[in-house]
């Protein structure tokens, strides 16, 4: 049930830098993209957890 912890995104995180550099994004674009993706993963994970425990 750790999916809720994926929401916050830190710029100094190694995964953030890896995605930013791999896709040639600037800092703002990478932050927006990763925040949206991590929020979706977090919310969907929590939803699936609740559905699995109905």
């Amino acid at each position: 049930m750790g999916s809720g912890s994926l929401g916050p995104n830190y710029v100094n995180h190694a995964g953030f830098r890896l995605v930013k550099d791999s896709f040639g994004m600037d800092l703002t674009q990478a932050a927006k993209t990763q925040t949206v993706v991590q929020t979706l993963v977090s919310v969907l994970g929590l939803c699936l957890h609740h559905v699995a425990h109905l």
Side-chain angles (χ1 to χ4, degrees):
M1 164 92 175
S3 62
S5 65
L6 294 174
N9 186 22
Y10 298 100
V11 175
N12 62 350
H13 188 265
F16 176 84
R17 294 288 178 184
L18 179 68
V19 171
K20 177 186 158 307
D21 293 339
S22 295
F23 291 103
M25 298 178 182
D26 64 4
L27 188 63
T28 304
Q29 184 181 18
K32 288 179 182 179
T33 302
Q34 273 201 290
T35 300
V36 169
V37 170
Q38 287 182 335
T39 302
L40 286 173
V41 168
S42 179
V43 170
L44 288 174
L46 289 171
C47 290
L48 288 174
H49 172 76
H50 288 299
V51 167
H53 287 89
L54 287 178

